[in-house]
Amino acid sequence: MPTPSFCTTFFVPLSAISIGFIPLSEAETTPSSEILPTSATTAYQAVKPTKQHAKNNAGIEQAHTNEGIGREHEEEHEHEENHEEEIENIVVQATRSGRIANDQPIRVELIDREEIEEKAAMRPGNISMLVAETGGVRVQTTSPALGSANIRLQGLYGRYTQLLADGLPLYGNQASSIGLLQIPPTDLGRVEIIKGSASSLYGGSALGGVINLVSRTPGDTLNGEALVNVTTRNGQDLTSYIESPLTDDLKGSLTVGAHHQDTQDVDDDGWIDLPGYERYSARPRLFWQGQNGESLYATAGFMTEQREGGTMPGAVVADGNPYEQTQDSQRFDGGVVFNMPMLETLTLNARASAMVQEHDHTYADIAEDDRHESYLLESSLAGYKGDTDWLVGIAYQAEQFTSFSDEQFDYSYEVPGIFTQLDYQWNEQLSTSVSARIDDHSEYGTQFSPRISMLYRPGDLTIRGSYGQGYYAPTPFVEEIEAAGLSRLEPLQDIEEEQAETASLDITYRFESIEASVTAFGSNVENVTELQAFSSNNTNELDRVRLVNAEGETQIRGSEVLIRYYWRDVKLTASYLYLDATEASTDGSGRKEIALTPRHSAGFVAMWEQHGNFRVGFEAYYTGPQTLDDNPYMDESNPYWHLGLMGEITVGRASWFINLENLLDVKQTDEHPLLLPSQAASGQWTTDIWSRNDGFIANAGVRIKFGE
């Protein structure tokens, strides 16, 4: 790959800096804001026993039950009352290094349990809002008919983001866009986000980064909660979580959910703006801790959903016919993680997972049924000596797709690989992490994915730098195909793997109650797969599409600015994100902006909270203009604001909440029609979604906690 030239294009225009929001979720939290978990779900590698670790071991069970990650302002008051309180730390799971968050050369952003509860009151049915309000993360709607969405990290395509559950690909190595909307946040203890290529850690599915959903760790007593939510758009959610010790060494938890949404035509144009769905899910988990340090984590999951979109009954599209789009889904998954100490400085780690998901699609009069399968087997050995932590491992991944309607799109990828990681602490201020992976892909051959990260802490500054390379194995399921189906797609031919290099530099400064950080990042991506429209009957009518590797290089440059301030029970967070994302023009005229990628975005959040009593919050988000492709109504979108208010009051074991979303009633259809005047070559009947389309919506409910 060519040598990156990021330094020449990193900049933040001073005139554009404004107030924005990144959640209270960075990995660079103070040590007092972090928890050191010991279950099999939260530490894969041997944790080097430092003075800090030794101090925490004595109070480790208390740390399990205190889900208070990231509560700097809250714990500051607690310290004033109790100076003997244990300092707690969290071992980040996604980096595999066994280091606490504050000592990670790889930057990991954390969304803590407190914020998860806050976002669950806003969107109890899925995690889309939970991750969308993190800096550099954008949830992009991929199907206006079904409402599906994927997660873009720092401007990279959503298919490059690896979604994990407790370090396992329980949603598939290449999770579909609809999967994001099928995961309730009820049982999450925290969320870990790594931006930039993580292929050295997780293979080709993590080209753009990793989002790891870490489950709650059961305590020593029976506890749980139930949440009921209703919306003004006739939506209902019911979720519950229960945890309990089963024996002296075994603990368990169970999460179940039921969710319903009526189809809603918000703007009365005959097209469903809020797809209807009926979804049920269940996930039991077991946590076993042996007497000699062994640990085992096991989980299984089941989800079934019926989702409906398209035209309303009696309505038609431009060709005079109705267009109903549905998707029935069933997913079964299971996974295990096992840790066993060997000698004094070694730990054996093993993990495995399997996922089978079946879909029944309808696109008007076209039916497409399919099955996705994903499997993982992995074993590694981790250890430390002096200032060095190391890891070596082997892995086998498999990804299969079977179409019961058109077998020419079937694929089966088998990927054995080896990986290694070496962390070295040079002194109190400087440490490095080097990782690499070699995969033998059954379709795309040998792939080498390195990554190097550095941490430097002179005084009150924390500086992190990272560079990595990775790859992605193409499938037919780019965003347009997930939205419109396979019926108009030509069989894949002569497609090469997508390759990228990513780099970032982050500087954080803290002074008393103020924290500020600036991040510069960049990516170069080659062989990006995209759809190309063509005529199948040698006319001017573009009626089919094929998948091709784009000419030239996709280049993404950007900066994030973050400011956080704490004053007693009030926390204020502001941020700004700048993105310069371009690709080569198809007509050879130079470069053009990548569609649906706003150059400027910002926001602001204010939260007043007394833990256990109430919380009141206000948020404002700005999204700047975006380039639009294949939109007959406009070439560039208009900027828009999203405003929200929420409140929650706790009385005893019950917390009553209300949330007001999109106070300005922003709708894309206020700017132009959603429906196209003629069907696109891919089969879609709508423009892309670049804004909101649900209008103002309010929800309210109650969360009831029980147990000791």
Side-chain angles (χ1 to χ4, degrees):
M1 288 186 176
T3 301
S5 57
F6 303 137
C7 59
T8 61
T9 51
F10 283 150
F11 66 98
V12 180
L14 296 177
S15 62
I17 294 180
S18 61
I19 293 178
F21 167 72
I22 290 179
L24 187 59
S25 57
E26 304 280 340
E28 299 89 314
T29 51
T30 60
S32 64
S33 69
E34 300 165 342
I35 293 176
L36 175 64
T38 58
S39 76
T41 65
T42 51
Y44 294 137
Q45 319 310 335
V47 178
K48 182 178 176 180
T50 63
K51 294 179 182 178
Q52 187 67 62
H53 293 159
K55 185 175 181 180
N56 281 285
N57 285 341
I60 205 161
E61 291 302 324
Q62 178 63 30
H64 276 310
T65 58
N66 175 14
E67 298 284 350
I69 306 168
R71 301 174 185 172
E72 291 94 333
H73 67 295
E74 185 179 306
E75 291 172 357
E76 182 179 341
H77 296 310
E78 294 174 356
H79 288 172
E80 292 174 357
E81 298 173 0
N82 181 10
H83 296 286
E84 302 298 323
E85 184 179 19
E86 289 277 355
I87 295 177
E88 298 167 338
N89 294 277
I90 180 172
V91 175
V92 174
Q93 181 187 115
T95 61
R96 301 177 181 262
S97 68
R99 289 175 177 264
I100 62 176
N102 206 41
D103 294 336
Q104 290 283 349
I106 298 176
R107 182 180 180 180
V108 183
E109 298 188 27
L110 302 178
I111 302 174
D112 56 45
R113 178 60 198 168
E114 182 181 81
E115 189 167 348
I116 290 172
E117 288 191 356
E118 174 188 322
K119 300 308 178 188
M122 300 179 182
R123 196 71 59 85
N126 61 72
I127 63 170
S128 61
M129 180 172 288
L130 179 64
V131 297
E133 297 179 355
T134 302
V137 179
R138 179 173 173 81
V139 174
Q140 179 63 52
T141 299
T142 58
S143 171
L146 296 179
S148 57
N150 61 25
I151 306 170
R152 293 186 173 185
L153 299 179
Q154 293 182 335
L156 290 165
Y157 297 105
R159 60 181 178 271
Y160 300 159
T161 302
Q162 173 70 80
L163 189 62
L164 302 173
D166 294 310
L168 299 169
L170 298 181
Y171 310 109
N173 285 326
Q174 297 174 334
S176 66
S177 295
I178 204 74
L180 177 66
L181 306 182
Q182 298 170 334
I183 306 171
T186 310
D187 59 351
L188 298 182
R190 70 178 183 273
V191 178
E192 304 170 348
I193 302 176
I194 299 177
K195 302 171 188 174
S197 176
S199 291
S200 65
L201 301 176
Y202 294 100
S205 300
L207 178 61
V210 170
I211 295 180
N212 186 30
L213 310 175
V214 182
S215 60
R216 297 163 70 173
T217 304
D220 294 329
T221 58
L222 174 67
N223 288 285
E225 68 177 55
L227 184 148
V228 179
N229 177 69
V230 295
T231 78
T232 55
R233 298 292 185 188
N234 199 13
Q236 301 88 38
D237 300 278
L238 173 61
T239 65
S240 63
Y241 169 83
I242 186 171
E243 62 179 43
S244 175
L246 304 177
T247 67
D248 290 341
D249 301 327
L250 185 66
K251 301 175 182 179
S253 68
L254 174 66
T255 307
V256 296
H259 312 271
H260 171 266
Q261 172 66 57
D262 262 3
T263 57
Q264 297 283 310
D265 179 10
V266 178
D267 55 0
D268 297 322
D269 65 350
W271 184 267
I272 295 172
D273 299 299
L274 272 179
Y277 56 79
E278 193 89 23
R279 182 171 68 252
Y280 303 95
S281 62
R283 181 169 297 282
R285 293 183 172 94
L286 292 175
F287 305 77
W288 174 78
Q289 189 75 43
Q291 298 299 316
N292 299 314
E294 311 96 330
S295 60
L296 177 69
Y297 162 74
T299 184
F302 167 74
M303 185 279 305
T304 180
E305 181 190 68
Q306 293 76 46
R307 186 170 285 257
E308 178 183 355
T311 54
M312 294 289 290
V316 297
V317 290
D319 67 358
N321 297 308
Y323 187 87
E324 180 184 18
Q325 188 167 334
T326 66
Q327 177 174 301
D328 295 344
S329 305
Q330 284 192 333
R331 184 177 66 239
F332 301 88
D333 64 68
V336 295
V337 179
F338 176 71
N339 291 335
M340 182 176 70
M342 298 176 63
L343 305 177
E344 292 185 357
T345 62
L346 298 180
T347 299
L348 176 67
N349 309 274
R351 59 188 186 128
S353 67
M355 186 278 297
V356 178
Q357 184 166 246
E358 295 188 347
H359 295 139
D360 295 336
H361 307 266
T362 62
Y363 305 91
D365 56 352
I366 299 175
E368 296 182 7
D369 301 337
D370 58 53
R371 180 174 64 239
H372 296 258
E373 301 173 61
S374 179
Y375 304 96
L376 169 70
L377 291 172
E378 183 185 292
S379 180
S380 63
L381 188 66
Y384 70 90
K385 183 178 181 180
D387 294 318
T388 304
D389 300 87
W390 57 268
L391 173 144
V392 293
I394 58 174
Y396 171 82
Q397 295 179 331
E399 193 80 14
Q400 299 177 12
F401 170 73
T402 304
S403 173
F404 301 116
S405 309
D406 198 341
E407 63 181 15
Q408 63 184 339
F409 293 107
D410 293 359
Y411 63 86
S412 179
Y413 295 158
E414 297 184 18
V415 192
I418 59 174
F419 57 91
T420 185
Q421 181 166 293
L422 179 67
D423 289 5
Y424 184 72
Q425 184 169 347
W426 299 87
N427 51 48
E428 292 293 329
Q429 296 178 328
L430 180 65
S431 60
T432 59
S433 177
V434 180
S435 57
R437 185 184 185 106
I438 298 177
D439 288 330
D440 183 19
H441 199 283
S442 59
E443 182 71 22
Y444 297 103
T446 302
Q447 303 291 334
F448 176 60
S449 303
R451 176 167 178 147
I452 181 170
S453 301
M454 301 187 69
L455 168 65
Y456 179 51
R457 285 188 296 201
D460 294 330
L461 284 177
T462 299
I463 303 172
R464 285 182 171 88
S466 185
Y467 171 80
Q469 295 181 352
Y471 76 99
Y472 175 83
T475 74
F477 299 104
V478 294
E479 296 177 352
E480 297 90 341
I481 295 302
E482 286 196 353
L486 297 165
S487 63
R488 293 195 174 197
L489 178 65
E490 288 287 289
L492 275 61
Q493 295 180 352
D494 302 323
I495 297 294
E496 298 181 9
E497 72 275 15
E498 302 176 56
Q499 297 180 327
E501 54 183 354
T502 64
S504 64
L505 177 65
D506 173 77
I507 302 174
T508 300
Y509 177 77
R510 294 183 183 86
F511 178 75
E512 295 183 349
S513 298
I514 299 177
E515 177 183 345
S517 68
V518 176
T519 302
F521 57 87
S523 302
N524 296 332
V525 190
E526 295 179 340
N527 298 329
V528 172
T529 53
E530 61 182 13
L531 284 187
Q532 182 183 83
F534 71 98
S535 174
S536 63
N537 51 16
N538 296 321
T539 66
N540 291 327
E541 180 187 3
L542 301 178
D543 59 349
R544 291 189 66 81
V545 291
R546 53 190 165 217
L547 201 62
V548 299
N549 291 117
E551 295 290 336
E553 185 178 66
T554 295
Q555 298 178 353
I556 299 173
R557 309 288 186 263
S559 300
E560 298 176 37
V561 179
L562 164 70
I563 300 174
R564 288 194 292 229
Y565 175 71
Y566 307 98
W567 182 72
R568 297 186 178 181
D569 296 322
V570 177
K571 58 182 179 182
L572 305 175
T573 309
S575 77
Y576 164 77
L577 173 65
Y578 172 82
L579 269 177
D580 179 18
T582 62
E583 60 187 355
S585 299
T586 55
D587 58 5
S589 59
R591 304 193 63 79
K592 65 174 183 177
E593 291 190 353
I594 296 176
L596 305 179
T597 307
R599 186 176 289 262
H600 306 282
S601 56
F604 170 77
V605 64
M607 183 66 66
W608 179 28
E609 177 180 9
Q610 290 186 0
H611 187 65
N613 294 319
F614 69 87
R615 63 162 61 104
V616 179
F618 167 76
E619 56 187 21
Y621 303 100
Y622 169 80
T623 301
Q626 306 164 59
T627 297
L628 305 178
D629 282 347
D630 303 320
N631 188 317
Y633 306 110
M634 57 196 328
D635 297 324
E636 184 179 80
S637 70
N638 294 320
Y640 64 92
W641 283 88
H642 168 78
L643 305 182
L645 282 172
M646 69 88 62
E648 183 174 354
I649 186 170
T650 301
V651 181
R653 294 180 178 269
S655 297
W656 301 85
F657 58 85
I658 184 170
N659 178 57
L660 309 177
E661 284 291 318
N662 196 4
L663 293 174
L664 299 180
D665 197 28
V666 173
K667 298 188 294 294
Q668 181 172 316
T669 49
D670 291 338
E671 306 294 333
H672 65 70
L674 183 64
L675 288 171
L676 294 171
S678 61
Q679 192 171 20
S682 64
Q684 281 190 257
W685 271 108
T686 64
T687 68
D688 291 328
I689 292 289
W690 52 264
S691 176
R692 301 184 63 101
N693 216 37
D694 51 2
F696 170 76
I697 186 170
N699 68 281
V702 60
R703 179 192 292 111
I704 301 175
K705 296 185 178 182
F706 55 87
E708 302 179 14

